[in-house]
Amino acid sequence: MHLKTKRIVNYLIMQKHGFHLVDPSPWPIFASLGLWGFTTGLVGWFHEYNYAGFLAFLSLVSLVYVAIVWWRDVLRESVFQGHHTKSVQKGIMYGMILFIVSEIMLFLGFFWAFGHSSLAPTIDIAGVWPPRGIEVLDPFGIPFLNTLILLTSGASVTWAHYAILIGNNKQTQYALILTVLLAAIFTGFQGFEYVTAGFTISDSVYGSCFYMLTGLHGAHVIVGTIFLMVCLLRSQLGQMRPDHHLGFELAAMYWHFVDVVWLILFVVIYYWGS
């Protein structure tokens, strides 16, 4: 019997169930303190308090460190200790689905605000939509190009998934590198759009909703890019197997969610909203 398989079997016999009883960890409390310090420092920095910016930066660095060591521990439990049985993987998958549902509700709130304001524009914005004085962006310029880029990245993620299933590690790495590059290009074009836009987040409800929706989506793109970069590193280390690649499946689910949100955002904000 393979050594890793034997270790998993012995572990299951010892505890008599297929679930993972997680050992005590210091990372949740450190992550909470880092989040508290980052939000407090950021608000203080907005109000120009002394040392608030330093607190926000220090807390952000601690959050990045906690994320790295926490992921390291989870990968150790999964790959080397064999704790992620089928029951554990199913639970993690359900957790990811619930997380994505919560993200859908977050985006829905901002889409609701945009739809309400556009369908019934108030006297404060001269009763027209887009509000008077707002020069909207051409939906068939950079936004359409970004749509093609993001859809292509969704196809390359699917390519990576099928490459994992057939055990072709080289194709997996090529597909993930392509996806990360496309994500970086998308983010670059989004930044260029922000720099060249003729309105800001404080320019009426249109500017507020536009930047909140596109900015929130951009933050999700950055998180998804980091997620896929971790998967690329794991693939190079030989940790992606056809029968055990839950981490990549979660990253692919998250990335497809980002794709779908952008399609809705393009249709509602850039095309219909203009």
Side-chain angles (χ1 to χ4, degrees), residues 173-204:
Q173 294 176 30
Y174 293 152
L176 286 175
I177 290 173
L178 176 60
T179 306
V180 170
L181 287 176
L182 290 171
I185 294 171
F186 175 92
T187 304
F189 276 130
Q190 192 76 59
F192 177 77
E193 184 180 76
Y194 282 0
V195 172
T196 57
F199 56 92
T200 66
I201 194 172
S202 60
D203 287 331
S204 79

Short mmCIF file of all heavy atoms in Angstrom, two decimals, residues 173-204:
data_model
loop_
_atom_site.label_atom_id
_atom_site.label_comp_id
_atom_site.label_asym_id
_atom_site.label_seq_id
_atom_site.Cartn_x
_atom_site.Cartn_y
_atom_site.Cartn_z
N GLN A 173 0.09 24.39 -16.19
CA GLN A 173 0.90 25.57 -15.91
C GLN A 173 0.78 26.60 -17.01
O GLN A 173 0.68 27.81 -16.74
CB GLN A 173 2.35 25.15 -15.71
CG GLN A 173 2.58 24.29 -14.48
CD GLN A 173 4.01 23.80 -14.36
OE1 GLN A 173 4.94 24.46 -14.80
NE2 GLN A 173 4.20 22.63 -13.77
N TYR A 174 0.78 26.16 -18.28
CA TYR A 174 0.64 27.11 -19.39
C TYR A 174 -0.70 27.85 -19.29
O TYR A 174 -0.77 29.07 -19.49
CB TYR A 174 0.72 26.38 -20.73
CG TYR A 174 2.08 25.78 -21.03
CD1 TYR A 174 2.21 24.66 -21.85
CD2 TYR A 174 3.24 26.34 -20.51
CE1 TYR A 174 3.45 24.11 -22.13
CE2 TYR A 174 4.49 25.79 -20.77
CZ TYR A 174 4.58 24.68 -21.59
OH TYR A 174 5.82 24.13 -21.84
N ALA A 175 -1.77 27.10 -19.00
CA ALA A 175 -3.10 27.70 -18.93
C ALA A 175 -3.19 28.69 -17.77
O ALA A 175 -3.79 29.77 -17.89
CB ALA A 175 -4.15 26.61 -18.79
N LEU A 176 -2.60 28.34 -16.63
CA LEU A 176 -2.65 29.23 -15.47
C LEU A 176 -1.81 30.49 -15.69
O LEU A 176 -2.20 31.58 -15.28
CB LEU A 176 -2.18 28.49 -14.21
CG LEU A 176 -3.18 27.47 -13.64
CD1 LEU A 176 -2.56 26.71 -12.48
CD2 LEU A 176 -4.45 28.18 -13.17
N ILE A 177 -0.65 30.34 -16.34
CA ILE A 177 0.17 31.51 -16.66
C ILE A 177 -0.60 32.45 -17.58
O ILE A 177 -0.61 33.68 -17.39
CB ILE A 177 1.50 31.07 -17.31
CG1 ILE A 177 2.40 30.38 -16.27
CG2 ILE A 177 2.23 32.27 -17.91
CD1 ILE A 177 3.65 29.77 -16.85
N LEU A 178 -1.28 31.88 -18.59
CA LEU A 178 -2.09 32.70 -19.50
C LEU A 178 -3.20 33.42 -18.74
O LEU A 178 -3.46 34.61 -18.96
CB LEU A 178 -2.67 31.82 -20.60
CG LEU A 178 -3.63 32.51 -21.59
CD1 LEU A 178 -2.92 33.64 -22.32
CD2 LEU A 178 -4.20 31.49 -22.58
N THR A 179 -3.85 32.71 -17.83
CA THR A 179 -4.95 33.32 -17.06
C THR A 179 -4.44 34.47 -16.20
O THR A 179 -5.08 35.54 -16.14
CB THR A 179 -5.61 32.26 -16.17
OG1 THR A 179 -6.01 31.15 -16.96
CG2 THR A 179 -6.83 32.84 -15.46
N VAL A 180 -3.32 34.28 -15.52
CA VAL A 180 -2.76 35.32 -14.67
C VAL A 180 -2.36 36.54 -15.51
O VAL A 180 -2.59 37.70 -15.11
CB VAL A 180 -1.57 34.78 -13.87
CG1 VAL A 180 -0.83 35.90 -13.16
CG2 VAL A 180 -2.04 33.75 -12.85
N LEU A 181 -1.77 36.31 -16.68
CA LEU A 181 -1.39 37.42 -17.56
C LEU A 181 -2.62 38.20 -18.03
O LEU A 181 -2.63 39.44 -18.04
CB LEU A 181 -0.60 36.89 -18.77
CG LEU A 181 0.83 36.43 -18.49
CD1 LEU A 181 1.44 35.84 -19.75
CD2 LEU A 181 1.68 37.58 -17.97
N LEU A 182 -3.67 37.49 -18.41
CA LEU A 182 -4.90 38.15 -18.84
C LEU A 182 -5.52 38.95 -17.70
O LEU A 182 -6.02 40.07 -17.91
CB LEU A 182 -5.90 37.11 -19.36
CG LEU A 182 -5.54 36.45 -20.70
CD1 LEU A 182 -6.50 35.30 -20.99
CD2 LEU A 182 -5.59 37.46 -21.84
N ALA A 183 -5.46 38.39 -16.48
CA ALA A 183 -6.00 39.11 -15.32
C ALA A 183 -5.20 40.38 -15.06
O ALA A 183 -5.77 41.43 -14.72
CB ALA A 183 -5.97 38.20 -14.10
N ALA A 184 -3.88 40.32 -15.22
CA ALA A 184 -3.04 41.50 -15.01
C ALA A 184 -3.35 42.57 -16.07
O ALA A 184 -3.41 43.77 -15.76
CB ALA A 184 -1.57 41.11 -15.06
N ILE A 185 -3.56 42.15 -17.32
CA ILE A 185 -3.90 43.10 -18.38
C ILE A 185 -5.25 43.75 -18.10
O ILE A 185 -5.43 44.96 -18.26
CB ILE A 185 -3.92 42.38 -19.75
CG1 ILE A 185 -2.51 41.92 -20.12
CG2 ILE A 185 -4.47 43.29 -20.83
CD1 ILE A 185 -2.45 41.03 -21.34
N PHE A 186 -6.22 42.94 -17.65
CA PHE A 186 -7.54 43.47 -17.30
C PHE A 186 -7.41 44.54 -16.22
O PHE A 186 -7.99 45.63 -16.33
CB PHE A 186 -8.44 42.34 -16.82
CG PHE A 186 -9.79 42.79 -16.32
CD1 PHE A 186 -10.87 42.86 -17.18
CD2 PHE A 186 -9.97 43.16 -14.99
CE1 PHE A 186 -12.11 43.28 -16.73
CE2 PHE A 186 -11.21 43.59 -14.53
CZ PHE A 186 -12.28 43.65 -15.41
N THR A 187 -6.65 44.25 -15.17
CA THR A 187 -6.48 45.19 -14.07
C THR A 187 -5.79 46.47 -14.54
O THR A 187 -6.14 47.58 -14.12
CB THR A 187 -5.66 44.54 -12.93
OG1 THR A 187 -6.31 43.32 -12.52
CG2 THR A 187 -5.55 45.47 -11.74
N GLY A 188 -4.81 46.33 -15.44
CA GLY A 188 -4.12 47.49 -15.98
C GLY A 188 -5.06 48.40 -16.77
O GLY A 188 -5.04 49.63 -16.62
N PHE A 189 -5.90 47.80 -17.61
CA PHE A 189 -6.87 48.59 -18.38
C PHE A 189 -7.90 49.25 -17.46
O PHE A 189 -8.34 50.38 -17.71
CB PHE A 189 -7.59 47.70 -19.40
CG PHE A 189 -6.83 47.52 -20.69
CD1 PHE A 189 -6.63 46.26 -21.22
CD2 PHE A 189 -6.32 48.62 -21.37
CE1 PHE A 189 -5.93 46.09 -22.40
CE2 PHE A 189 -5.62 48.46 -22.55
CZ PHE A 189 -5.42 47.19 -23.07
N GLN A 190 -8.27 48.55 -16.38
CA GLN A 190 -9.21 49.14 -15.43
C GLN A 190 -8.61 50.37 -14.76
O GLN A 190 -9.28 51.40 -14.60
CB GLN A 190 -9.57 48.10 -14.36
CG GLN A 190 -10.76 48.49 -13.49
CD GLN A 190 -12.08 48.31 -14.20
OE1 GLN A 190 -12.42 47.23 -14.63
NE2 GLN A 190 -12.84 49.37 -14.33
N GLY A 191 -7.33 50.28 -14.40
CA GLY A 191 -6.65 51.43 -13.82
C GLY A 191 -6.55 52.58 -14.80
O GLY A 191 -6.73 53.75 -14.43
N PHE A 192 -6.26 52.27 -16.06
CA PHE A 192 -6.19 53.31 -17.09
C PHE A 192 -7.54 53.98 -17.28
O PHE A 192 -7.62 55.21 -17.47
CB PHE A 192 -5.72 52.70 -18.42
CG PHE A 192 -5.68 53.67 -19.56
CD1 PHE A 192 -4.66 54.60 -19.67
CD2 PHE A 192 -6.68 53.66 -20.54
CE1 PHE A 192 -4.63 55.51 -20.73
CE2 PHE A 192 -6.66 54.56 -21.59
CZ PHE A 192 -5.63 55.49 -21.68
N GLU A 193 -8.61 53.19 -17.21
CA GLU A 193 -9.95 53.75 -17.33
C GLU A 193 -10.26 54.72 -16.19
O GLU A 193 -10.86 55.78 -16.40
CB GLU A 193 -10.97 52.61 -17.33
CG GLU A 193 -12.40 53.04 -17.55
CD GLU A 193 -13.36 51.88 -17.55
OE1 GLU A 193 -13.66 51.35 -16.46
OE2 GLU A 193 -13.80 51.46 -18.64
N TYR A 194 -9.83 54.36 -14.97
CA TYR A 194 -10.04 55.25 -13.83
C TYR A 194 -9.31 56.58 -14.01
O TYR A 194 -9.83 57.65 -13.67
CB TYR A 194 -9.57 54.57 -12.55
CG TYR A 194 -10.53 53.54 -11.99
CD1 TYR A 194 -11.73 53.25 -12.63
CD2 TYR A 194 -10.22 52.84 -10.83
CE1 TYR A 194 -12.60 52.31 -12.13
CE2 TYR A 194 -11.09 51.90 -10.31
CZ TYR A 194 -12.28 51.63 -10.97
OH TYR A 194 -13.14 50.69 -10.47
N VAL A 195 -8.08 56.51 -14.54
CA VAL A 195 -7.27 57.71 -14.70
C VAL A 195 -7.87 58.64 -15.75
O VAL A 195 -7.84 59.88 -15.61
CB VAL A 195 -5.82 57.33 -15.08
CG1 VAL A 195 -5.01 58.57 -15.44
CG2 VAL A 195 -5.15 56.60 -13.92
N THR A 196 -8.43 58.07 -16.80
CA THR A 196 -8.93 58.88 -17.92
C THR A 196 -10.41 59.24 -17.82
O THR A 196 -10.91 60.02 -18.63
CB THR A 196 -8.71 58.14 -19.25
OG1 THR A 196 -9.35 56.85 -19.20
CG2 THR A 196 -7.21 57.93 -19.49
N ALA A 197 -11.14 58.66 -16.83
CA ALA A 197 -12.57 58.95 -16.70
C ALA A 197 -12.79 60.42 -16.35
O ALA A 197 -12.00 61.03 -15.62
CB ALA A 197 -13.19 58.06 -15.63
N GLY A 198 -13.89 60.98 -16.87
CA GLY A 198 -14.18 62.38 -16.65
C GLY A 198 -15.01 62.66 -15.42
O GLY A 198 -15.51 63.79 -15.25
N PHE A 199 -15.19 61.69 -14.55
CA PHE A 199 -15.95 61.89 -13.31
C PHE A 199 -15.29 61.09 -12.20
O PHE A 199 -14.49 60.18 -12.46
CB PHE A 199 -17.42 61.45 -13.49
CG PHE A 199 -17.57 60.04 -13.95
CD1 PHE A 199 -17.72 59.00 -13.05
CD2 PHE A 199 -17.58 59.73 -15.31
CE1 PHE A 199 -17.87 57.70 -13.47
CE2 PHE A 199 -17.73 58.42 -15.75
CZ PHE A 199 -17.88 57.40 -14.82
N THR A 200 -15.63 61.42 -10.96
CA THR A 200 -15.04 60.76 -9.80
C THR A 200 -16.14 60.09 -8.98
O THR A 200 -17.33 60.17 -9.31
CB THR A 200 -14.29 61.78 -8.92
OG1 THR A 200 -15.24 62.70 -8.36
CG2 THR A 200 -13.27 62.54 -9.73
N ILE A 201 -15.74 59.44 -7.90
CA ILE A 201 -16.69 58.73 -7.04
C ILE A 201 -17.63 59.70 -6.33
O ILE A 201 -18.73 59.31 -5.90
CB ILE A 201 -15.93 57.87 -6.01
CG1 ILE A 201 -16.88 56.86 -5.34
CG2 ILE A 201 -15.23 58.74 -4.97
CD1 ILE A 201 -16.17 55.85 -4.46
N SER A 202 -17.26 60.97 -6.22
CA SER A 202 -18.11 61.96 -5.55
C SER A 202 -19.04 62.72 -6.50
O SER A 202 -19.75 63.62 -6.08
CB SER A 202 -17.23 62.98 -4.80
OG SER A 202 -16.37 63.65 -5.70
N ASP A 203 -19.03 62.35 -7.78
CA ASP A 203 -19.88 63.00 -8.76
C ASP A 203 -21.23 62.31 -8.86
O ASP A 203 -21.44 61.41 -9.68
CB ASP A 203 -19.21 63.03 -10.14
CG ASP A 203 -18.06 64.01 -10.21
OD1 ASP A 203 -18.12 65.02 -9.48
OD2 ASP A 203 -17.11 63.77 -10.96
N SER A 204 -22.15 62.70 -7.98
CA SER A 204 -23.52 62.21 -7.96
C SER A 204 -23.59 60.71 -7.69
O SER A 204 -22.58 60.03 -7.49
CB SER A 204 -24.26 62.56 -9.25
OG SER A 204 -23.92 61.66 -10.28
#
